[in-house]
Amino acid sequence: MTAEPPVLPADSKDWTWVIAQGCPECGWTPPPSDEIASRVRATVPRWRAVLNRDDVAARTRPERWSALEYGCHVRDVCRVFAGRLDQLLTEDNPTFADWDQDAAASDGRYYAEDPAEVAEDYARGAEQIAAGFAAVRAGQWERKGTRSNGSLFTVATLGSYFLHDLEHHLADVDG
């Protein structure tokens, strides 16, 4: 049985600024909307490689999750954002339910999951949401919604924000 690692401090940063400014931490720049789906799909082999590492469950830095925990996180991000994309496309100005990523990691025991299953689940989830973004019609990119903390999103900015999470965490695990 895998021992539960220490709880990390919660990430309370509001990362929405990356939508307009990019991310100097990982070098990410906001893509044109029509590139979101292909870039999401491009993360799948990279996350598979990360989740196939021998040391996938080891925390190599005390202030960061293991590659396995990050893999579980991005898998769940795909699920959460697929729901948000669906809301944006089917509801008028929806408000997204709160999602506590740190509670999800703890409650889901990310540290103890099977990396091969996580890789498969991530691949399925990434493909599902990539297909969702690929199907967005020109007039839908500016549909609006609000996160529970009041941050405003359009389909385009939600896609950009989502993509940053997937690619930023690859940088976190040096993938």
Side-chain angles (χ1 to χ4, degrees), residues 5 7-8 11 13 18 22 25 36 38 58 76 80 87 91-92 101 103 107 109 114 126 151 153 166 170 175:
V7 175
L8 298 178
D11 181 1
K13 272 173 132 173
V18 301
E25 219 176 277
I36 293 169
S38 64
D76 289 355
V80 169
Q87 279 185 275
E91 300 174 24
D92 290 330
Q101 66 184 14
D107 296 346
R109 297 173 38 93
D114 178 328
S151 297
F153 286 91
L166 305 183
L170 279 167

Short mmCIF file of all heavy atoms in Angstrom, two decimals, residues 5 7-8 11 13 18 22 25 36 38 58 76 80 87 91-92 101 103 107 109 114 126 151 153 166 170 175:
data_model
loop_
_atom_site.label_atom_id
_atom_site.label_comp_id
_atom_site.label_asym_id
_atom_site.label_seq_id
_atom_site.Cartn_x
_atom_site.Cartn_y
_atom_site.Cartn_z
N PRO A 5 1.38 10.88 0.94
CA PRO A 5 2.41 11.91 1.09
C PRO A 5 1.88 13.11 1.85
O PRO A 5 0.67 13.27 2.02
CB PRO A 5 2.74 12.28 -0.36
CG PRO A 5 1.50 11.96 -1.12
CD PRO A 5 0.85 10.80 -0.42
N VAL A 7 0.50 16.72 2.72
CA VAL A 7 -0.37 17.64 1.98
C VAL A 7 0.44 18.88 1.60
O VAL A 7 1.17 19.43 2.43
CB VAL A 7 -1.60 18.04 2.84
CG1 VAL A 7 -2.43 19.10 2.13
CG2 VAL A 7 -2.43 16.81 3.17
N LEU A 8 0.32 19.28 0.37
CA LEU A 8 1.02 20.48 -0.10
C LEU A 8 0.17 21.72 0.17
O LEU A 8 -1.07 21.62 0.23
CB LEU A 8 1.29 20.38 -1.60
CG LEU A 8 2.19 19.23 -2.04
CD1 LEU A 8 2.33 19.22 -3.56
CD2 LEU A 8 3.55 19.32 -1.38
N ASP A 11 -2.85 25.82 -3.83
CA ASP A 11 -2.51 26.83 -4.84
C ASP A 11 -3.68 27.80 -4.91
O ASP A 11 -4.73 27.48 -5.48
CB ASP A 11 -2.27 26.18 -6.20
CG ASP A 11 -1.87 27.18 -7.27
OD1 ASP A 11 -1.76 28.40 -6.96
OD2 ASP A 11 -1.68 26.77 -8.42
N LYS A 13 -3.44 30.87 -6.27
CA LYS A 13 -3.24 31.85 -7.33
C LYS A 13 -4.42 31.84 -8.30
O LYS A 13 -4.96 30.78 -8.61
CB LYS A 13 -2.00 31.49 -8.15
CG LYS A 13 -0.70 32.04 -7.66
CD LYS A 13 0.39 31.42 -8.49
CE LYS A 13 1.39 32.37 -9.04
NZ LYS A 13 2.50 31.67 -9.69
N VAL A 18 -3.04 34.41 -17.42
CA VAL A 18 -2.29 33.80 -18.52
C VAL A 18 -3.05 33.88 -19.84
O VAL A 18 -2.44 33.83 -20.91
CB VAL A 18 -1.90 32.33 -18.24
CG1 VAL A 18 -1.05 32.23 -16.99
CG2 VAL A 18 -3.10 31.41 -18.18
N GLY A 22 0.02 35.24 -21.35
CA GLY A 22 0.91 34.10 -21.45
C GLY A 22 1.51 33.81 -20.09
O GLY A 22 1.16 34.44 -19.10
N GLU A 25 6.43 31.58 -16.51
CA GLU A 25 6.92 30.44 -15.76
C GLU A 25 7.21 29.24 -16.67
O GLU A 25 8.21 28.55 -16.51
CB GLU A 25 5.88 30.04 -14.71
CG GLU A 25 6.45 29.63 -13.40
CD GLU A 25 5.35 29.34 -12.39
OE1 GLU A 25 4.85 30.30 -11.78
OE2 GLU A 25 5.01 28.16 -12.22
N ILE A 36 -6.58 25.11 -30.46
CA ILE A 36 -6.76 24.49 -29.14
C ILE A 36 -6.88 22.98 -29.26
O ILE A 36 -6.18 22.24 -28.57
CB ILE A 36 -7.96 25.11 -28.40
CG1 ILE A 36 -7.66 26.58 -28.04
CG2 ILE A 36 -8.29 24.31 -27.13
CD1 ILE A 36 -8.85 27.37 -27.54
N SER A 38 -5.97 20.78 -31.56
CA SER A 38 -4.76 20.06 -31.98
C SER A 38 -3.70 20.09 -30.89
O SER A 38 -2.98 19.10 -30.69
CB SER A 38 -4.22 20.61 -33.30
OG SER A 38 -3.80 21.95 -33.15
N ALA A 58 7.02 9.36 -7.43
CA ALA A 58 7.94 10.04 -6.51
C ALA A 58 7.80 11.55 -6.61
O ALA A 58 7.76 12.10 -7.71
CB ALA A 58 9.38 9.63 -6.81
N ASP A 76 -8.47 14.94 -14.59
CA ASP A 76 -9.69 15.50 -14.01
C ASP A 76 -10.00 16.88 -14.58
O ASP A 76 -11.17 17.25 -14.72
CB ASP A 76 -9.60 15.53 -12.50
CG ASP A 76 -9.68 14.14 -11.88
OD1 ASP A 76 -9.90 13.16 -12.62
OD2 ASP A 76 -9.50 14.04 -10.65
N VAL A 80 -13.61 18.19 -15.96
CA VAL A 80 -14.25 19.41 -15.46
C VAL A 80 -14.47 20.41 -16.60
O VAL A 80 -15.55 20.98 -16.74
CB VAL A 80 -13.42 20.05 -14.32
CG1 VAL A 80 -13.90 21.44 -13.97
CG2 VAL A 80 -13.44 19.14 -13.08
N GLN A 87 -21.53 23.48 -20.92
CA GLN A 87 -22.39 24.53 -20.36
C GLN A 87 -22.36 25.79 -21.22
O GLN A 87 -23.39 26.39 -21.49
CB GLN A 87 -21.93 24.90 -18.95
CG GLN A 87 -22.38 23.96 -17.87
CD GLN A 87 -21.97 24.52 -16.52
OE1 GLN A 87 -20.84 24.29 -16.09
NE2 GLN A 87 -22.86 25.26 -15.88
N GLU A 91 -25.98 26.60 -22.56
CA GLU A 91 -26.69 27.48 -21.63
C GLU A 91 -26.31 28.93 -21.91
O GLU A 91 -25.21 29.20 -22.39
CB GLU A 91 -26.31 27.15 -20.17
CG GLU A 91 -26.64 25.74 -19.74
CD GLU A 91 -26.11 25.43 -18.34
OE1 GLU A 91 -25.90 26.37 -17.54
OE2 GLU A 91 -25.89 24.24 -18.06
N ASP A 92 -27.21 29.82 -21.56
CA ASP A 92 -26.90 31.24 -21.69
C ASP A 92 -26.24 31.73 -20.40
O ASP A 92 -26.83 31.63 -19.32
CB ASP A 92 -28.16 32.06 -21.97
CG ASP A 92 -28.70 31.80 -23.36
OD1 ASP A 92 -27.89 31.50 -24.26
OD2 ASP A 92 -29.93 31.89 -23.54
N GLN A 101 -9.28 21.76 -6.67
CA GLN A 101 -8.31 20.79 -7.19
C GLN A 101 -7.52 20.11 -6.07
O GLN A 101 -7.15 18.93 -6.20
CB GLN A 101 -7.36 21.46 -8.18
CG GLN A 101 -6.46 22.50 -7.55
CD GLN A 101 -5.59 23.21 -8.57
OE1 GLN A 101 -5.82 23.14 -9.76
NE2 GLN A 101 -4.58 23.90 -8.09
N ALA A 103 -8.64 19.45 -2.98
CA ALA A 103 -9.53 18.46 -2.36
C ALA A 103 -9.70 17.26 -3.28
O ALA A 103 -9.73 16.11 -2.81
CB ALA A 103 -10.89 19.09 -2.06
N ASP A 107 -8.98 13.69 -1.85
CA ASP A 107 -10.10 12.75 -1.81
C ASP A 107 -9.94 11.62 -2.82
O ASP A 107 -10.35 10.49 -2.56
CB ASP A 107 -11.42 13.49 -2.09
CG ASP A 107 -11.77 14.51 -1.02
OD1 ASP A 107 -11.16 14.50 0.07
OD2 ASP A 107 -12.66 15.35 -1.29
N ARG A 109 -7.11 10.36 -3.79
CA ARG A 109 -5.88 9.62 -3.52
C ARG A 109 -5.03 9.50 -4.80
O ARG A 109 -4.61 8.42 -5.20
CB ARG A 109 -6.21 8.25 -2.93
CG ARG A 109 -6.91 8.33 -1.58
CD ARG A 109 -7.39 6.97 -1.06
NE ARG A 109 -6.51 5.86 -1.32
CZ ARG A 109 -5.56 5.40 -0.50
NH1 ARG A 109 -5.38 5.99 0.67
NH2 ARG A 109 -4.81 4.36 -0.82
N ASP A 114 -3.23 4.01 -10.42
CA ASP A 114 -2.46 3.22 -11.37
C ASP A 114 -2.09 4.12 -12.55
O ASP A 114 -2.97 4.60 -13.27
CB ASP A 114 -3.30 2.04 -11.85
CG ASP A 114 -2.60 1.18 -12.88
OD1 ASP A 114 -1.80 1.69 -13.69
OD2 ASP A 114 -2.87 -0.03 -12.90
N ALA A 126 -8.90 13.80 -22.91
CA ALA A 126 -8.30 14.83 -23.77
C ALA A 126 -8.92 14.77 -25.16
O ALA A 126 -9.21 15.81 -25.76
CB ALA A 126 -6.79 14.65 -23.84
N SER A 151 -14.74 35.20 -12.17
CA SER A 151 -13.95 35.34 -13.40
C SER A 151 -14.82 35.04 -14.61
O SER A 151 -15.53 34.03 -14.64
CB SER A 151 -12.76 34.39 -13.40
OG SER A 151 -11.87 34.68 -12.35
N PHE A 153 -15.42 34.13 -18.58
CA PHE A 153 -14.81 33.36 -19.65
C PHE A 153 -15.69 33.39 -20.88
O PHE A 153 -16.91 33.50 -20.77
CB PHE A 153 -14.63 31.89 -19.24
CG PHE A 153 -13.53 31.66 -18.26
CD1 PHE A 153 -13.78 31.68 -16.90
CD2 PHE A 153 -12.24 31.40 -18.69
CE1 PHE A 153 -12.76 31.47 -15.99
CE2 PHE A 153 -11.21 31.19 -17.79
CZ PHE A 153 -11.47 31.22 -16.43
N LEU A 166 -2.84 22.08 -19.04
CA LEU A 166 -2.25 20.83 -19.53
C LEU A 166 -0.77 21.00 -19.86
O LEU A 166 0.06 20.17 -19.49
CB LEU A 166 -2.98 20.35 -20.79
CG LEU A 166 -4.48 20.15 -20.71
CD1 LEU A 166 -5.00 19.60 -22.05
CD2 LEU A 166 -4.88 19.26 -19.56
N LEU A 170 2.96 19.88 -17.83
CA LEU A 170 4.04 19.14 -18.50
C LEU A 170 5.38 19.78 -18.16
O LEU A 170 6.37 19.08 -17.91
CB LEU A 170 3.82 19.09 -20.00
CG LEU A 170 2.84 18.04 -20.49
CD1 LEU A 170 2.45 18.29 -21.94
CD2 LEU A 170 3.40 16.63 -20.30
N GLY A 175 8.16 17.30 -18.73
CA GLY A 175 7.74 16.36 -19.76
C GLY A 175 7.82 16.96 -21.11
O GLY A 175 7.57 16.43 -22.11
#
